[in-house]
Amino acid sequence: MSDKYTTARLTKGQDRFEILVKPQPALDHKLGKQVPVSQVLVIEEIYSDSSKGTRASTEKLQKHFGTEDPLRIAEEIIKAGE
């Protein structure tokens, strides 16, 4: 795992989703530069609480994002989250 990473978060309803991202590539991606999501993510995993290592359930991912694909979900978290 990379030494430098930050957490990107998005809350939908009562559910929170988090991903671990590399700060500079994430900022570049959010600003519209052509950086693939796979190069932004530290790990292709969606968490409900990344500090505890709690993964988001597949049911909640389907409910809120309509997919379980971590790259598509990460794309939305990066663009719409904090």
Side-chain angles (χ1 to χ4, degrees):
M1 191 181 293
S2 174
D3 291 340
K4 296 186 180 193
Y5 65 89
T6 190
T7 305
R9 295 177 180 84
L10 179 65
T11 302
K12 288 192 166 221
Q14 298 292 319
D15 300 314
R16 181 169 65 179
F17 302 95
E18 300 179 346
I19 54 174
L20 300 178
V21 297
K22 300 169 193 164
Q24 191 58 51
L27 179 61
D28 290 344
H29 186 83
K30 189 167 182 139
L31 294 175
K33 294 184 181 173
Q34 296 297 321
V35 179
V37 176
S38 60
Q39 292 181 8
V40 174
L41 293 176
V42 175
I43 184 170
E44 289 185 20
E45 191 67 59
I46 311 300
Y47 297 96
S48 58
D49 187 337
S50 60
S51 64
K52 294 181 182 177
T54 308
R55 294 181 178 141
S57 70
T58 56
E59 294 82 15
K60 288 183 180 179
L61 294 175
Q62 278 292 346
K63 175 183 172 186
H64 293 291
F65 298 99
T67 183
E68 295 173 32
D69 180 1
L71 294 177
R72 288 180 47 201
I73 295 168
E75 176 92 30
E76 187 170 337
I77 293 173
I78 293 166
K79 287 187 177 179
E82 54 185 70

